[in-house]
Amino acid sequence: MLARCHSYYNATINHETDFPSLTEDIHTDILVIGGGFTGVNIALELAEQGRSVVLLEANKIGWGATGRNGGQVTGSLSGDAAMTKQLRRRIGDEAENFVWSLRWRGHDIIKGRVEKYRIDCDLKYGHLHTAYKPAHMQELRSLLEEGQRQGMGAELRLLDKPELDEYLETPLYFGGLLNRKNMHLHSVNLCIGEARAAAGLGVKIFEDTKVLDLLEGETIIALTPQGSVKANRVVIAGNAYHRLGRPKLRGMLFPASLGNCATVKLSEEDAYAINPHNVAVYDCRFVLDYYRLTADNRLMFGGGTNYSGRDPKDVAAELRPAIERTFPRLKGVEIEFAWTGMAGIVINRIPQLGKISPNLYYCQGYSGHGIATSHIMAQMTAEALIGDEREFELFAGMDHWRTPVNEWLGNQALALGMLYYNLKEKLG
């Protein structure tokens, strides 16, 4: 088992997990592989319906991307335009409304989880989508108009530069879209809280239990170093942190390294000055910065996605210039935590649900928008396992690009493509 990374989240866990490793051969109806948001929420959804579930995690609950993100829960659904285009062929004029409602479903699921199971995860409301250049204001205005058409006008407000100055002490932006429905939270405490809820409902959770191979047949046997699980159905929910399900899943998903950091605790004066309304923020650029204040007044700041699949050598050094450019007040501030995580990037950005065989499912590919999306896709997958496959099949029927080369070459091609769009944005 690999230790948890040196992150703010892992230094402030409310209840560390102590689930056992699997050391015997067992049987279950449904096996879930992966202890991040996707796997934990599939297991929890099923347990709420009284199903027999085992969950296997190679390291610790929330060890992967679930515990390494920026903690923002937003309605910026990955691949929404491509998703809508494909769905029009399936459900016609309902596609736009379906995708819009999907944007916010994860918020409701998370809010419900926190309230039902009394999960302490520093949940706060309020988010700003900021314009890095004047042309971005039209993009934000279009989002506002769509929200107004969909009945969300009371929760959205477009801010010009003087109004934005009341929310952020920064010279960078020309305005922003304030969204009071979006949230930010402590990712690991949320995931562990959900896992504890699942265990309380009967889910058997095993940590430090890597699945080495899957033997497929009428039932599936998952082989681990010291035991096995025989299951009627299996879900692979490891996202960018596994190599199971090959060759079916090869070339569909690419790991991209996300860098994140957290400063030392700021004084009350400095924290209030830079972000008096305690909103989470990201900007309109293709390769964007994202940041927020933590519950103990640190600035958590992320950005600079590396699409080559390699981790940056020094995350803090790479992010410091962006922090100081964003908040000149914090020039020279000490960075106490710095970490990386692997997001699962899909070329067309549409989350991937499907079946490798009739009883082997997969759920993956959130392209950097995983907190809300993982909860949505977990719900769809759990419903399919219970017998309602309508929404699951909508996503299983999506067309995805698969690269014909190995994953390393695929990552390099993806990195070149992202470099092109990044340069195009800077020069545009």
Side-chain angles (χ1 to χ4, degrees):
M1 176 174 62
L2 297 175
R4 293 188 185 274
C5 67
H6 181 63
S7 74
Y8 162 78
Y9 294 124
N10 293 331
T12 53
I13 289 174
N14 291 331
H15 305 282
E16 180 56 279
T17 57
D18 59 354
F19 296 109
S21 299
L22 180 66
T23 57
E24 59 183 326
D25 300 325
I26 62 175
H27 180 271
T28 187
D29 180 20
I30 301 169
L31 167 64
V32 180
I33 302 171
F37 279 136
T38 303
V40 166
N41 279 278
I42 291 171
L44 179 52
E45 293 269 0
L46 293 169
E48 289 177 335
Q49 300 299 319
R51 304 304 170 113
S52 169
V53 185
V54 169
L55 186 149
L56 302 182
E57 165 54 44
N59 296 292
K60 301 284 282 184
I61 294 296
W63 182 91
T66 289
R68 302 164 187 258
N69 54 62
Q72 299 192 22
V73 184
T74 71
S76 51
L77 188 65
S78 178
D80 54 346
M83 189 187 306
T84 302
K85 183 178 180 180
Q86 291 202 39
L87 284 172
R88 282 196 197 102
R89 301 197 298 262
R90 309 279 295 280
I91 59 176
D93 293 340
E94 288 300 310
E96 283 78 6
N97 288 336
F98 176 80
V99 172
W100 178 262
S101 66
L102 209 61
R103 286 178 177 272
W104 314 107
R105 189 187 300 186
H107 297 60
D108 296 334
I109 295 171
I110 291 168
K111 181 175 181 287
R113 293 268 193 271
V114 170
E115 292 175 352
K116 182 175 182 179
Y117 298 109
R118 299 181 180 178
I119 300 172
D120 180 6
C121 61
D122 305 332
L123 179 63
K124 304 291 182 185
Y125 289 87
H127 179 268
L128 272 169
H129 192 178
T130 56
Y132 205 85
K133 53 187 181 180
H136 289 152
M137 287 301 290
Q138 182 53 49
E139 176 184 338
L140 297 179
R141 192 170 290 107
S142 296
L143 290 173
L144 171 66
E145 291 168 356
E146 176 65 12
Q148 291 171 333
R149 285 194 296 271
Q150 296 286 350
M152 275 187 62
E155 295 171 294
L156 302 174
R157 181 183 165 203
L158 191 65
L159 307 179
D160 60 19
K161 174 61 176 171
E163 291 172 313
L164 186 68
D165 289 343
E166 299 175 13
Y167 284 82
L168 298 172
E169 186 188 59
T170 178
L172 289 187
Y173 310 125
F174 292 86
L177 182 62
L178 177 65
N179 185 314
R180 297 184 180 88
K181 186 175 180 66
N182 283 341
M183 306 181 288
H184 55 100
L185 48 76
H186 190 300
S187 301
V188 175
N189 281 336
L190 173 60
C191 189
I192 290 176
E194 291 169 330
R196 286 160 59 92
L201 293 174
V203 175
K204 296 179 180 178
I205 299 176
F206 298 93
E207 296 180 311
D208 191 16
T209 304
K210 183 177 182 178
V211 176
L212 304 174
D213 198 8
L214 296 172
L215 306 180
E216 295 185 56
E218 290 187 11
T219 59
I220 298 176
I221 300 175
L223 302 178
T224 76
Q226 300 182 71
S228 68
V229 181
K230 179 185 285 188
N232 299 321
R233 288 164 294 172
V234 174
V235 185
I236 299 171
N239 208 35
Y241 285 90
H242 77 93
R243 289 296 179 268
L244 298 170
R246 268 54 178 173
K248 169 73 174 180
L249 299 183
R250 184 176 293 120
M252 292 181 65
L253 184 78
F254 299 93
S257 180
L258 307 179
N260 220 319
C261 70
T263 67
V264 295
K265 295 178 183 179
L266 305 179
S267 67
E268 291 285 345
E269 178 185 358
D270 285 345
Y272 184 83
I274 65 171
N275 190 349
H277 298 279
N278 195 12
V279 293
V281 183
Y282 60 62
D283 62 65
C284 286
R285 291 176 299 168
F286 193 77
V287 179
L288 49 79
D289 292 333
Y290 50 94
Y291 52 88
R292 65 189 184 89
L293 292 173
T294 65
D296 57 355
N297 279 348
R298 303 170 188 271
L299 176 67
M300 182 183 290
F301 197 102
T305 305
N306 184 343
Y307 290 96
S308 72
R310 297 186 300 271
D311 283 335
K313 293 181 180 179
D314 188 338
V315 176
E318 291 192 12
L319 290 177
R320 176 176 292 283
I323 291 173
E324 296 180 348
R325 185 169 59 247
T326 305
F327 296 115
R329 172 187 289 266
L330 299 184
K331 185 174 178 60
V333 68
E334 182 182 347
I335 295 174
E336 185 170 352
F337 300 100
W339 64 95
T340 61
M342 288 295 176
I345 303 297
V346 179
I347 292 177
N348 66 5
R349 295 300 198 268
I350 301 174
Q352 297 173 343
L353 304 183
K355 296 181 185 179
I356 295 171
S357 63
N359 53 354
L360 179 56
Y361 297 64
Y362 63 89
C363 182
Q364 63 181 26
Y366 314 129
S367 301
H369 298 271
I371 301 182
T373 309
S374 60
H375 284 76
I376 300 166
M377 298 300 139
Q379 184 184 71
M380 290 184 185
T381 303
E383 288 174 349
L385 289 161
I386 292 170
D388 183 355
E389 294 193 345
R390 288 173 295 179
E391 290 189 333
F392 183 91
E393 287 299 324
L394 284 178
F395 280 85
M398 294 284 186
D399 296 325
H400 289 282
W401 293 0
R402 184 194 301 271
T403 63
V405 296
N406 65 42
E407 292 186 5
W408 183 87
L409 287 173
N411 263 113
Q412 309 321 304
L414 184 63
L416 286 173
M418 297 306 159
L419 177 62
Y420 165 78
Y421 283 110
N422 194 20
L423 289 173
K424 182 179 178 182
E425 180 180 63
K426 288 181 178 179
L427 297 172

